[in-house]
Amino acid sequence: MKKIDSVFVSTLYYGINKAVIDIMGTGGMVLGRRTSYYMIKLLKDMNILKEKMNNEEIRDLFVNTFGLSEDLVIEDNEDEVIFNVVNPTLDLFLGKIMEEGINPYVCPFIHLLSSIYEETGNSKLMLKQVIPEHNKAKLIFKKIK
């Protein structure tokens, strides 16, 4: 089976985000949320995504099914959920948006990951901070109660 190269996917996400910013500005955040809604709907229709997944199932989906990173460590505490994305395959995309200070409105890690996590029924999430580290990105979400 042929696979799509991560350079192509990185440049696609980069181009989409640049275009969203040019056309919509900060309104792009709504587009990112809506995009994840339709992605989740399609993934459910394809029986790839199931209801109320646990952390290990979410990790398996992003690491093994989607191939988006080498590992995904989920930390859930009282006020925050932290997704530690280890060796992301879209490192070109993530590095470029961080370098340019671009808000990633359409990003598989941010809206898709948080939306899938929200479906566990634990809580709603709001992006608080993205911390790029060497071969890792920390996505910190505030729990909305």
Side-chain angles (χ1 to χ4, degrees):
M1 174 186 199
K2 276 193 151 189
K3 293 195 179 224
I4 295 174
D5 187 81
S6 67
V7 171
F8 173 77
V9 178
S10 278
T11 58
L12 174 65
Y13 271 105
Y14 175 78
I16 288 170
N17 280 282
K18 290 288 280 192
V20 165
I21 290 165
D22 288 350
I23 295 167
M24 300 181 71
T26 57
M29 193 174 304
V30 175
L31 179 65
R33 276 280 186 194
R34 199 66 182 162
T35 299
S36 68
Y37 168 81
Y38 286 113
M39 290 174 77
I40 287 171
K41 185 176 178 341
L42 181 58
L43 290 167
K44 283 180 178 177
D45 290 348
M46 296 168 47
N47 293 317
I48 293 173
L49 193 63
K50 59 186 187 178
E51 298 293 324
K52 299 199 184 242
M53 298 173 73
N54 63 38
N55 287 359
E56 188 54 38
E57 292 168 323
I58 293 171
R59 180 202 168 278
D60 184 61
L61 180 69
F62 277 79
V63 173
N64 298 316
T65 303
F66 296 158
L68 289 171
S69 63
E70 191 174 288
D71 199 3
L72 176 66
V73 179
I74 301 171
E75 299 173 42
D76 188 335
N77 62 47
E78 189 175 320
D79 299 319
E80 298 176 330
V81 175
I82 302 169
F83 299 103
N84 294 286
V85 182
V86 180
N87 289 323
T89 53
L90 299 180
D91 56 341
L92 171 64
F93 162 66
L94 295 170
K96 198 73 173 136
I97 61 171
M98 289 301 180
E99 174 186 309
E100 294 183 22
I102 297 171
N103 287 320
Y105 294 128
V106 180
C107 174
F109 291 114
I110 293 176
H111 294 297
L112 184 60
L113 182 55
S114 63
S115 294
I116 290 171
Y117 190 82
E118 286 177 350
E119 287 201 1
T120 64
N122 291 337
S123 59
K124 290 283 191 187
L125 302 177
M126 181 178 78
L127 183 63
K128 182 177 173 182
Q129 189 176 15
V130 176
I131 303 172
E133 297 175 350
H134 180 69
N135 295 331
K136 184 173 156 183
K138 267 188 167 179
L139 309 175
I140 304 171
F141 289 84
K142 179 181 177 182
K143 288 184 179 180
I144 308 296
K145 301 184 184 184

